[in-house]
């Protein structure tokens, strides 16, 4: 999964309307920087198959290497959408063998209660290093790199 161009947008869903086809929707998200619209379709991966609804806090990832229309508010094709908890952060990145993000911005310390699953909800028994991971976390240390014990990790196989 070469998704190094995936950019997260964190916000609250304002509304969801029918899209151009029966299998697509247009989702408006309020962020710190204003409203951003996302197309959600059959190609969009919605983590845990959650029903998206207004008021839900989410992280939507789009591929910054794809062309986008020059309109306001911005409109992107959502590649991944996931619900996040209050004060929760989410990161999609490649983590090396020491579980350090490729950009050095985060190191993972796994705990017994860390939930680790594949995208389709299966248990994971292998080492998580040298893989793309979607990491849910709250608190980080002030060390370099910052460290966290994630609440949940989704492994992209």
């Amino acid at each position: 999964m070469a998704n190094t161009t995936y950019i997260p947008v964190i916000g609250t869903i304002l509304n969801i309307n029918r899209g151009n086809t029966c299998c697509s929707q247009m989702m408006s998200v309020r962020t710190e920087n204003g409203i951003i619209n996302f197309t959600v379709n059959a190609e969009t991966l919605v983590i845990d198959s959650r029903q998206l609804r207004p008021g839900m806090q989410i992280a939507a990832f789009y591929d910054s290497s794809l062309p986008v229309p020059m309109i306001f508010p911005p409109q992107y094709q959502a590649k991944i959408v996931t619900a996040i908890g209050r004060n929760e952060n989410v990161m999609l990145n490649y983590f090396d063998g020491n579980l350090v993000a490729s950009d050095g911005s985060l190191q993972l310390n796994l705990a017994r209660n860390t939930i680790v699953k594949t995208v389709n909800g299966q248990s994971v028994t292998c080492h998580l290093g040298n893989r793309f991971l979607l990491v849910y976390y709250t608190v980080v240390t002030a060390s370099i790199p910052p460290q966290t014990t994630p609440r949940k990790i989704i492994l992209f196989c």
Side-chain angles (χ1 to χ4, degrees):
M1 177 176 187
N3 57 6
T4 56
T5 59
Y6 282 19
I7 305 296
V9 173
I10 309 292
T12 304
I13 298 175
L14 290 175
N15 57 52
I16 300 173
N17 297 309
R18 183 167 181 234
N20 296 334
T21 68
C22 185
C23 293
S24 71
Q25 298 175 322
M26 183 61 68
M27 175 176 71
S28 294
V29 178
R30 180 186 311 121
T31 71
E32 290 180 350
N33 299 320
I35 293 173
I36 297 178
N37 292 324
F38 287 95
T39 301
V40 177
N41 61 26
E43 296 176 13
T44 304
L45 173 62
V46 179
I47 301 296
D48 294 331
S49 299
R50 296 273 308 261
Q51 177 68 42
L52 301 176
R53 56 182 165 61
M56 182 180 275
Q57 181 80 8
I58 57 115
F61 293 84
Y62 68 92
D63 188 343
S64 65
S65 69
L66 296 177
V68 294
M70 297 297 292
I71 60 174
F72 187 82
Q75 181 177 320
Y76 303 106
Q77 164 64 48
K79 293 295 185 179
I80 301 171
V81 178
T82 185
I84 56 175
R86 173 173 252 141
N87 300 320
E88 190 167 50
N89 299 302
V90 65
M91 174 188 278
L92 176 66
N93 210 318
Y94 181 84
F95 286 82
D96 69 14
N98 295 318
L99 298 179
V100 176
S102 63
D103 59 2
S105 63
L106 191 65
Q107 181 173 359
L108 307 180
N109 298 316
L110 302 181
R112 296 185 120 200
N113 62 343
T114 300
I115 299 165
V116 182
K117 305 186 303 184
T118 62
V119 172
N120 64 3
Q122 303 306 304
S123 297
V124 174
T125 57
C126 63
H127 179 64
L128 296 175
N130 301 313
R131 300 177 190 272
F132 279 98
L133 306 173
L134 180 60
V135 179
Y136 301 76
Y137 63 98
T138 52
V139 180
V140 295
T141 65
S143 62
I144 297 177
Q147 297 181 32
T148 189
T149 302
R151 175 184 68 83
K152 179 166 108 174
I153 299 173
I154 303 292
L155 169 65
F156 286 81
C157 296

